[in-house]
């Protein structure tokens, strides 16, 4: 793997001109996976599709990395009432900008994946929830959905079968929390995005109290690949524990930032140097945040042999998250960076739980004090202490996501924080 | 404010939105969008119109309007510049861009110029981190890879009523070339 990652041919974003047009997509084998299943439902029973996807081990690309097929198997048996697939295109975790590439460049791959998921779970209503800021991409994606209806892939009696599935697009209005799955359901129901207490889980009581599965856009775009080529083929791509193609978003201090598709498990240093053209201005690397702002930062000296794979990153002390990697050069001020992350989580806390509402405020306030040169040594312990009191005590994982970067940035860059406190007005006085 | 109402055409659009969902309540966010596109904001009178149109309590619509940042709770400048200063944009000079705009327009983030032309805001990650620093114009077009010169041009163009065009950062190079050739 380590050497041959460069020979990978993109599967989600292949270099085919105008692939967003349905005709071009069809000419390149598009919708074949759906056709295969619908033509031979005896062979491709619902359970068979779920098993194949489960065996392929598509790890959810929304951040948590849960096996998609396993999630689908949690849906209860149909009882004649409505069932929903809610597709998560909220994409708001800082450092993450990959799902919009699918909307723009290969929307039908995602639509096909969502249709296969719906067939497998006997779902007849798909909602696609896109962040409101992506209005340009909402419009582009609507064109793709209209085309899919026109060609009979969506709507009543799909491809002449007795299967009917609808897809509706809706969009938010600015709120990071709506990416959390139950918050997204609330928002879809036309309410404030307050995450729900679990259980009940969405598979039992989701949209309007009915069974619902939530998947990320990129997760669903992987599904047709599995049906066309088989779970074994898919499992052989990239890292064993987290197989398949990955859209790596690379931003920060690199020469060529952007979204790049490779197999999972690319060495972190190769992503920075070979894919993203190295650090800007010929500087040295200081640290990375591997998969969105909530994943703990890793110092340059922690990166030897680390690959973009859930197990490798865990061993190194971080997480894969959304594979949206943020690269920081030697001149980066970690106090500034951590303050900005804390500001983000405080701004985005929905305020339902006291530990999160108050805690994210404290984290930001104390970090601002340190950043402004008014911090004291004991503030560092205060930050860690506040974090401990937030973690695991809230309705959703936003509070945890706010704590991890604080804890690990302070621990891994302690000198820098201490120095700032030592130089502060209090140290002088 | 004069009596507010939706036109027949807007009501048709609203019916289409309602048809997407099993409840009228679910249409709240989208109808607030229809209202904001029409009036430029969703001040309380506009929220009330949405509540009446969907036959929902005013308190519900107010709760939704106040929860989401993209709804303007008061009148804004003709153009709103939402400058991202979040993680990746911060690293790539987002604050320098914000301060440049503030200096140029003589206002601070959150304020509107006296002539009512521009409102400037500091916003959280807009999902364009690879093209940082960037900003969004009035809940619409993204303007990527900002430099001070690019910002100056943008502001000049906006003053002349010329909005930025959609700029694809996502299409592979080959694709962009083909599209350009087709035009
Ligand atoms: C605070 C918070 C924000 C989240 N934001 C997103 C998001 O923007 N997009 C997304 O797909 N998942 C997001 N998630 C994860 C979702 O809750 C959910 O796990 C995911 O959409 C499931 O899809 P997957 O299994 O296909 O990854 C977020 C989770 C939390 C706790
Ligand atoms: S943890 Fe924070 S964001 Fe999540 S429900 Fe509680 S207050 Fe809201
Ligand atoms: S940090 Fe600015 S777009 Fe993501």
């Amino acid at each position: 793997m380590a050497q041959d990652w460069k020979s990978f041919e993109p599967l989600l974003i292949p270099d085919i001109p105008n692939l967003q047009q349905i005709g071009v997509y069809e000419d390149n084998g598009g919708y074949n996976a759906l056709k295969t299943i619908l033509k031979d439902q005896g062979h491709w029973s619902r359970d068979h599709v779920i098993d194949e996807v489960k065996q392929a081990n598509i790890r959810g690309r929304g951040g948590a990395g849960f096996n998609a097929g396993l999630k689908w198997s949690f849906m209860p048996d149909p009882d004649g009432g409505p069932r929903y697939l809610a597709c998560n295109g909220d994409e708001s975790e800082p450092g993450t900008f990959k799902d919009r590439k699918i909307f723009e460049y290969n929307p039908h791959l995602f639509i096909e994946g969502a249709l296969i998921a719906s067939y497998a779970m006997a779902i007849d209503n798909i909602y696609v929830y896109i962040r409101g800021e992506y209005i340009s991409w909402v419009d582009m994606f609507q064109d793709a959905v209209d085309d899919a209806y026109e060609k009979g892939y969506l709507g009543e009696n799909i491809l002449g079968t007795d299967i009917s599935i609808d897809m509706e697009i809706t969009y938010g209005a600015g709120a990071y929390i709506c990416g959390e799955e139950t918050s997204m359901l609330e928002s879809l129901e036309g309410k404030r995005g307050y995450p729900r207490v679990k259980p009940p889980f969405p598979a039992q009581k989701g949209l309007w109290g009915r069974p619902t599965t939530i998947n990320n856009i990129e997760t669903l775009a992987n599904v047709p690949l599995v049906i066309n080529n088989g779970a074994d083929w898919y499992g052989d791509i990239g890292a064993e524990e987290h197989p398949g193609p990955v859209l790596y978003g690379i931003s920060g201090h690199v020469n060529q930032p952007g979204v790049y598709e490779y197999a999972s498990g690319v060495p972190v240093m190769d992503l920075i140097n070979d894919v993203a053209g190295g650090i800007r201005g010929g500087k040295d690397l200081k640290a990375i945040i591997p998969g969105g702002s909530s994943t703990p930062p890793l110092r340059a000296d922690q990166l030897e042999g680390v690959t973009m794979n859930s197990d490798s990153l865990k061993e190194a002390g971080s997480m894969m998250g959304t594979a949206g990697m943020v690269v920081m050069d030697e001149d980066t001020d970690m106090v500034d960076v951590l303050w900005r992350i804390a500001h983000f989580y405080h701004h985005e806390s929905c305020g339902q739980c006291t530990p999160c509402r108050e805690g994210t405020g404290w984290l930001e306030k104390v970090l601002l004090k340190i950043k402004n040169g008014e911090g004291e040594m004991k503030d560092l312990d205060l930050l860690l202490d506040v974090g401990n009191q937030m973690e695991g005590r809230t309705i959703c994982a936003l509070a945890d996501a706010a704590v991890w970067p604080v804890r690990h940035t302070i621990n891994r860059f302690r000198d820098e924080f201490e120095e700032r406190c030592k130089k502060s007005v209090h140290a002088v006085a | 404010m004069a009596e507010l109402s939706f036109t027949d055409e807007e009501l048709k659009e609203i019916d289409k939105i309602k048809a997407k969902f099993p409840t009228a309540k679910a249409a709240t966010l989208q109808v607030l969008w229809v209202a904001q596109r029409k009036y430029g904001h969703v001040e309380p009178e506009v929220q009330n119109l949405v509540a009446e149109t969907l036959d929902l309590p005013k308190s519900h619509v107010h709760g939704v309007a106040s929860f989401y940042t993209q709804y303007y709770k008061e009148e804004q400048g003709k153009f709103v510049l939402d400058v991202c200063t979040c993680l990746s944009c911060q690293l790539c000079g987002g604050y320098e861009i914000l301060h440049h705009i503030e200096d140029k327009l003589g206002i601070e983030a959150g304020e509107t110029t006296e002539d009512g032309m521009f409102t400037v805001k500091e916003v959280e990650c807009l999902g364009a981190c690879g093209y940082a620093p960037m900003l969004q114009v009035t809940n619409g077009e993204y303007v990527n890879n900002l430099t001070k010169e690019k910002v100056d041009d943008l502001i000049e163009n906006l003053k002349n009523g010329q909005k930025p065009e959609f700029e694809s950062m996502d299409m592979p190079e080959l694709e962009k070339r083909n599209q350009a050739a087709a035009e």
Side-chain angles (χ1 to χ4, degrees):
Chain A
M1 173 67 214
Q3 292 83 32
D4 67 359
W5 61 265
K6 281 181 192 166
S7 62
F8 177 81
E9 293 279 336
L11 299 159
L12 301 171
I13 307 289
D15 203 358
I16 298 168
N18 298 317
L19 192 56
Q20 79 282 7
Q21 296 171 7
I22 195 163
V24 176
Y25 182 70
E26 288 173 320
D27 289 346
N28 286 278
Y31 288 110
N32 274 354
L34 181 73
K35 286 178 193 158
T36 304
I37 289 172
L38 294 188
K39 272 192 196 134
D40 194 356
Q41 295 178 41
H43 176 70
W44 286 105
S45 68
R46 291 178 36 222
D47 283 346
H48 182 177
V49 175
I50 292 181
D51 283 344
E52 195 75 21
V53 172
K54 198 193 314 188
Q55 201 199 322
N57 192 16
I58 305 175
R59 309 275 303 259
R61 303 292 201 258
F66 197 80
N67 179 318
L70 186 59
K71 187 187 277 188
W72 297 1
S73 72
F74 297 156
M75 285 287 273
D77 285 336
D79 61 3
R83 299 150 71 82
Y84 300 100
L85 176 67
C87 307
N88 194 340
D90 195 57
E91 184 144 270
S92 312
E93 169 101 347
T96 311
F97 54 108
K98 59 178 180 78
D99 293 336
R100 69 175 228 193
K101 186 153 184 159
I102 297 174
F103 288 133
E104 184 172 343
Y105 179 70
N106 203 358
H108 292 288
L109 184 67
F110 157 66
I111 295 173
E112 187 178 4
L115 279 163
I116 293 167
S118 301
Y119 165 83
M121 292 181 278
I123 284 169
D124 42 18
N125 290 288
I126 306 172
Y127 285 102
V128 183
Y129 185 96
I130 304 177
R131 65 179 300 177
E133 294 88 344
Y134 276 3
I135 189 68
S136 304
W137 290 268
V138 170
D139 292 343
M140 276 183 260
F141 182 58
Q142 183 70 59
D143 290 344
V145 171
D146 292 346
D147 289 345
Y149 266 103
E150 206 163 292
K151 290 258 185 155
Y153 295 115
L154 277 166
E156 282 185 26
N157 303 111
I158 294 172
L159 301 174
T161 64
D162 58 359
I163 290 166
S164 303
I165 302 171
D166 277 311
M167 178 180 273
E168 299 290 358
I169 304 174
T170 188
Y171 51 97
Y176 163 71
I177 193 59
C178 290
E180 194 279 337
E181 55 184 18
T182 60
S183 167
M184 188 179 79
L185 300 183
E186 289 287 301
S187 188
L188 265 167
E189 291 181 7
K191 299 185 254 175
R192 286 181 282 199
Y194 285 151
R196 298 177 182 171
V197 178
K198 291 187 272 193
F201 290 95
Q204 262 64 48
K205 272 183 190 296
L207 277 173
W208 298 289
R210 297 291 308 167
T212 303
T213 290
I214 297 123
N215 272 131
N216 169 263
I217 305 301
E218 186 187 347
T219 307
L220 290 165
N222 275 272
V223 170
L225 307 177
V226 171
I227 300 302
N228 281 328
N229 305 287
D232 292 342
W233 170 88
Y234 187 88
D236 282 343
I237 300 172
E240 202 182 333
E241 315 79 20
H242 193 295
V246 171
L247 296 179
Y248 298 101
I250 311 177
S251 65
H253 298 141
V254 289
N255 282 311
Q256 286 144 28
V259 176
Y260 299 93
E261 181 185 349
Y262 285 98
S264 63
V266 175
V268 170
M269 292 311 299
D270 289 359
L271 265 186
I272 297 171
N273 291 324
D274 298 342
V275 175
I279 309 285
R280 282 184 193 173
K283 290 186 190 171
D284 282 336
L285 174 69
K286 179 169 193 169
I288 64 153
I289 291 173
S293 59
S294 65
T295 60
L298 294 168
R299 284 192 315 266
D301 63 277
Q302 293 180 292
L303 293 176
E304 201 181 318
V306 177
T307 63
M308 290 298 277
N309 149 21
S310 49
D311 284 22
S312 177
L313 284 162
K314 195 171 160 195
E315 213 173 292
S318 192
M319 292 179 284
M320 179 98 168
T322 61
M325 187 163 105
V326 183
V327 178
M328 292 169 273
D329 71 21
E330 55 186 318
D331 295 333
T332 308
D333 183 328
M334 296 311 287
V335 178
D336 281 6
V337 166
L338 185 58
W339 161 75
R340 191 62 188 76
I341 293 174
H343 172 73
F344 170 78
Y345 287 106
H346 180 212
H347 185 264
E348 301 299 333
S349 166
C350 83
Q352 271 193 109
C353 323
T354 311
C356 175
R357 185 182 61 235
E358 303 296 323
T360 51
W362 270 102
L363 295 178
E364 183 188 357
K365 204 165 114 182
V366 176
L367 281 161
L368 181 64
K369 191 179 144 195
I370 299 174
K371 170 177 141 71
N372 287 344
E374 295 159 14
E376 299 167 72
M377 277 315 194
K378 62 176 194 222
D379 288 333
L380 299 182
D381 295 323
L382 175 65
L383 285 169
L384 298 174
D385 194 44
V386 170
N388 289 339
Q389 290 182 44
M390 291 166 67
E391 201 178 358
R393 294 181 191 203
T394 54
I395 293 174
C396 89
L398 182 138
D400 302 350
V403 170
W404 297 329
V406 171
R407 178 180 301 147
H408 295 288
T409 309
I410 292 178
N411 287 341
R412 289 172 189 168
F413 299 89
R414 181 115 195 164
D415 293 355
E416 214 172 313
F417 282 82
E418 289 189 351
E419 202 176 314
R420 198 71 154 250
C421 292
K422 277 186 201 145
K423 277 197 203 139
S424 85
V425 288
H426 298 287
V428 176
Chain B
M1 214 181 279
E3 190 68 14
L4 304 182
S5 64
F6 285 121
T7 63
D8 284 348
E9 203 170 313
E10 285 154 358
L11 288 172
K12 256 193 220 151
E13 189 187 347
I14 290 169
D15 281 339
K16 264 175 81 180
I17 292 169
K18 282 164 77 178
K20 290 183 174 192
F21 307 103
T23 66
K25 194 183 231 178
T28 308
L29 272 79
Q30 297 314 312
V31 176
L32 277 166
W33 274 120
V34 174
Q36 178 156 304
R37 279 193 283 268
K38 176 179 175 117
Y39 293 107
H41 58 78
V42 291
E43 284 183 358
E45 296 89 335
V46 180
Q47 294 173 19
N48 291 346
L49 172 67
V50 171
E52 279 159 28
T53 308
L54 290 175
D55 200 13
L56 293 169
K58 287 174 185 169
S59 58
H60 164 74
V61 176
H62 175 72
V64 172
S66 56
F67 186 85
Y68 296 92
T69 55
Q70 283 190 289
Y71 296 129
Y72 301 141
K73 270 67 81 177
E74 51 198 50
E75 243 185 280
Q76 307 288 307
K78 187 165 173 213
F79 300 106
V80 181
L81 304 180
D82 280 332
V83 185
C84 179
T85 58
C86 203
L87 184 55
S88 306
C89 287
Q90 174 197 32
L91 292 171
C92 297
Y95 280 100
E96 283 79 13
I97 294 297
L98 176 69
H99 298 324
H100 177 71
I101 296 175
E102 288 174 330
D103 290 347
K104 196 174 165 80
L105 299 177
I107 52 172
E108 300 211 340
E111 296 176 347
T112 301
T113 53
E114 238 162 62
D115 61 1
M117 201 66 163
F118 295 102
T119 301
V120 178
K121 292 186 187 179
E122 180 183 352
V123 298
E124 299 303 331
C125 178
L126 290 170
C129 321
Y131 321 111
M134 57 79 63
L135 63 75
Q136 181 171 28
V137 181
T138 322
N139 292 328
E141 291 74 16
Y142 279 20
V143 190
N144 304 292
N145 295 327
L146 292 174
T147 57
K148 286 179 182 168
E149 295 71 46
K150 197 163 174 184
V151 166
D152 293 346
D153 286 349
L154 172 72
I155 289 177
E156 216 42 54
N157 288 339
L158 289 173
K159 277 183 186 163
N160 297 327
Q162 198 188 329
K163 292 228 271 168
E165 282 185 16
F166 176 78
E167 175 187 17
S168 174
M169 306 303 286
D170 290 328
M171 292 277 189
E173 284 310 310
L174 172 67
E175 173 98 357
K176 280 189 209 164
R177 280 202 307 276
N178 276 315
Q179 269 202 336
E183 270 157 22

